[in-house]
Amino acid sequence: MTENVIGYLLFGTVISFASPWLVPILTVSPVANWLAGRAYNRWDHAHRKKLSDLETKQACVRKLPDDFKSAKDIRIYSMAGWIRDIYRDLTGQLVMENRKKVSRRFLSRTADLFVILLRDGGAYLLLISMFLRGEIDAAQFVLYFAAVSSFAEWIGGIVDAWNTLHASSMRVCDFREYLDYPDFEGTGEASDDSIGDHAPEVVFDHVSFRYDSAEDFTIRDLSFTMKSGEKLALVGLNGAGKTTLVKLLCGLYHPTSGEIRINGIPQSKFRRRDYYKLIAPVFQDVRTAFYSLAETVSCTDGEHTDRQKAENALKRAGLWEKIEALPDGMDTKLDKKVNKNGTELSGGEAQKLMLARALCKDAPILVLDEPTAALDPIAEARLYGEYGRMTAGKTSLFVSHRLATTAFCDRVILLENGRIAEEGTHVELIALEGKYKELYEIQSQWYRENGKVASA
């Protein structure tokens, strides 16, 4: 930009000797180029989300066949043709969007070319007219002619640099929005040390939550208390708000209104890092990286891994037999594509690994969000049998959509449309003969009917 400005001043001075009108005319005419470039940048920015969404979907479909877990279903259910059709459709949409983008860019450049023809053509006609009238000689004509060409290039450089700067500014808009997003770091007045060694009490005080752009609340004016050392079960149909409540408790979401308190201390008083130390969660979705089993469980690299603690956690989670059969044991990496001796865990094994990680963390609050969804019946029964020992000295929240799994918990909360529909022990809720019993009967009836079919 600086180089272009210097060139503009030097050659503008030379041209002014030929005619003082040439400099302002040549300077003002590129405004049309600037407007055309600015209009294209704004159009490109406004349509970036649609193009980005299409590219994301196409990338997802493209990677799907490369996933070992997906390959099995693709073959069994003959999904190859369906996936190809989706990929072809997304590619067609991307081609159309890119054509629109190229067409807009072409129109912008066409307007630029038209202005250049008018601007430079007018300047050259003026110089030719001055030469024919004898106002300038041949040497001056050549000098001014060359100066006009160079001057136009410097102006074009200024306009292009400005439009490039504008385009770059718009490209980082999303990043600027991210930087401006409010950071719920907490005041830092409380730390994990302030909780002490005993199991904490957790209070939801009139908590409500609504997702951005959502019309309705997912959690509505929710109030309840998890007593110190209590094993609380949270049940309800899909969409009742169970997972949202878990993420609120874990500090991943923040209440739209109301307050969550740990031992009487508001959640907002903790620094994020200190608050995360209080909770050991096991979520429905399992994500692992290219680390070893021991590193994944301990959440540390090899040098700092407490191997004995990791081994104990893996044994308690019921994964040790699998690990003992591996050539590298706990040092086995979690990806066959990157590591030759790596391993691929099944859904149930991966869920056990996440449970082992939560047990190894040994936080005062244990949160299990559908921890048995991918487990076989034997592993599930073993988890229920071990649940009391796992949660000893902790406050725990067990989330499930299967009501038969709540009998070992101290108390059950039935969530419906983000509100507490019923509350009590499993026995109390069955005796209440309300919504809980209705759902329980529906689920148990399915098992009874299938049991009769199997015995027949």
Side-chain angles (χ1 to χ4, degrees):
M1 176 67 83
T2 303
E3 182 182 358
N4 289 322
V5 171
I6 294 174
Y8 168 84
L9 294 174
L10 290 176
F11 285 91
T13 302
V14 174
I15 293 173
S16 64
F17 288 112
S19 172
W21 292 105
L22 277 177
V23 175
I25 291 174
L26 293 175
T27 301
V28 173
S29 56
V31 170
N33 302 353
W34 174 75
L35 291 174
R38 189 177 180 85
Y40 170 77
N41 290 338
R42 289 184 177 277
W43 181 89
D44 186 43
H45 179 74
H47 288 76
R48 77 194 189 287
K49 189 177 186 305
K50 184 176 182 180
L51 190 63
S52 176
D53 288 345
L54 287 172
E55 290 173 345
T56 301
K57 291 176 182 177
Q58 188 196 48
C60 180
V61 175
R62 185 172 62 246
K63 293 178 181 178
L64 189 64
D66 192 43
D67 185 358
F68 288 169
K69 297 177 182 178
S70 302
K72 177 175 63 177
D73 289 334
I74 291 173
R75 287 191 175 188
I76 291 175
Y77 295 103
S78 303
M79 298 168 62
W82 176 66
I83 291 175
R84 278 196 298 269
D85 290 341
I86 293 178
Y87 185 79
R88 192 178 295 114
D89 178 62
L90 290 171
T91 302
Q93 293 183 55
L94 269 173
V95 169
M96 292 299 296
E97 288 300 315
N98 282 312
R99 282 179 178 173
K100 291 179 183 178
K101 188 172 182 178
V102 171
S103 298
R104 289 275 180 169
R105 188 64 175 168
F106 177 76
L107 288 174
S108 173
R109 291 299 184 183
T110 301
D112 190 12
L113 178 62
F114 181 71
V115 170
I116 289 174
L117 289 174
L118 289 179
R119 178 191 66 199
D120 294 354
Y124 295 148
L125 287 174
L126 177 62
L127 291 175
I128 292 172
S129 175
M130 293 174 66
F131 174 75
L132 294 175
R133 292 197 304 269
E135 297 177 8
I136 56 175
D137 55 26
Q140 290 175 316
F141 176 81
V142 173
L143 172 65
Y144 293 141
F145 194 94
V148 167
S149 299
S150 298
F151 186 73
E153 290 180 6
W154 294 119
I155 294 177
I158 292 173
V159 172
D160 288 342
W162 186 271
N163 284 332
T164 300
L165 183 63
H166 180 249
S168 301
S169 174
M170 299 193 79
R171 288 192 189 102
V172 299
C173 278
D174 293 336
F175 182 66
R176 286 200 297 264
E177 290 178 10
Y178 168 74
L179 292 178
D180 292 337
Y181 197 79
D183 186 10
F184 297 97
E185 176 61 25
T187 63
E189 298 174 32
S191 68
D192 56 303
D193 295 332
S194 60
I195 298 302
D197 298 329
H198 63 284
E201 179 187 75
V202 180
V203 176
F204 275 64
D205 187 5
H206 296 285
V207 172
S208 296
F209 178 79
R210 182 177 61 190
Y211 288 95
D212 291 342
S213 73
E215 296 181 359
D216 207 354
F217 282 87
T218 304
I219 299 294
R220 309 162 184 265
D221 194 29
L222 198 63
S223 295
F224 68 90
T225 299
M226 295 171 58
K227 300 174 184 177
S228 174
E230 183 180 27
K231 297 186 289 290
L232 178 66
L234 185 66
V235 299
L237 299 176
N238 291 335
K242 302 188 300 297
T243 298
T244 301
L245 187 148
V246 167
K247 292 180 179 179
L248 286 167
L249 173 60
C250 292
L252 302 177
Y253 295 161
H254 297 273
T256 305
S257 62
E259 187 176 66
I260 300 173
R261 294 191 295 273
I262 311 293
N263 274 0
I265 304 173
Q267 191 183 55
S268 59
K269 298 293 184 182
F270 293 91
R271 292 284 186 192
R272 186 188 294 116
R273 183 181 294 273
D274 290 336
Y275 187 80
Y276 288 166
K277 292 178 182 178
L278 302 176
I279 301 174
V282 178
F283 297 115
Q284 296 180 44
D285 297 329
V286 176
R287 294 289 184 270
T288 58
F290 306 143
Y291 298 102
S292 70
L293 290 160
E295 290 172 327
T296 302
V297 169
S298 64
C299 292
T300 57
D301 57 32
E303 296 180 359
H304 302 93
T305 298
D306 188 334
R307 298 180 64 82
Q308 186 59 51
K309 192 174 181 181
E311 179 179 332
N312 291 337
L314 288 164
K315 287 179 178 178
R316 294 172 64 189
L319 197 58
W320 189 245
E321 291 182 8
K322 163 77 175 182
I323 293 174
E324 280 188 312
L326 297 173
D328 296 331
M330 286 196 303
D331 297 317
T332 304
K333 303 292 184 180
L334 280 168
D335 197 287
K336 285 185 176 180
K337 301 175 189 176
V338 177
N339 301 282
K340 183 179 180 181
N341 295 327
T343 184
E344 292 283 343
L345 299 180
S346 67
E349 290 168 344
Q351 209 155 29
K352 290 178 183 179
L353 184 66
M354 296 300 101
L355 177 60
R357 185 170 67 180
L359 295 174
C360 188
K361 185 177 181 180
D362 197 25
I365 301 174
L366 180 64
V367 178
L368 305 179
D369 186 7
E370 300 283 4
T372 63
L375 298 183
D376 58 71
I378 296 176
E380 185 177 5
R382 184 182 299 167
L383 173 63
Y384 298 153
E386 292 288 322
Y387 189 70
R389 193 162 62 89
M390 289 178 183
T391 58
K394 304 178 187 299
T395 302
S396 66
L397 179 65
F398 184 89
V399 182
S400 178
H401 67 277
R402 286 183 278 188
L403 277 63
T405 64
T406 62
F408 56 86
C409 292
D410 300 322
R411 186 161 52 104
V412 181
I413 288 179
L414 173 64
L415 209 62
E416 188 175 35
N417 296 323
R419 299 178 186 272
I420 296 178
E422 295 177 11
E423 183 178 357
T425 65
H426 174 75
V427 175
E428 289 172 347
L429 292 179
I430 293 295
L432 186 63
E433 297 188 351
K435 188 71 174 179
Y436 182 90
K437 183 179 180 180
E438 178 186 347
L439 295 174
Y440 179 78
E441 289 292 336
I442 292 172
Q443 291 182 357
S444 61
Q445 180 182 3
W446 186 88
Y447 286 108
R448 287 196 298 269
E449 290 178 352
N450 279 271
K452 292 177 181 178
V453 172
S455 61

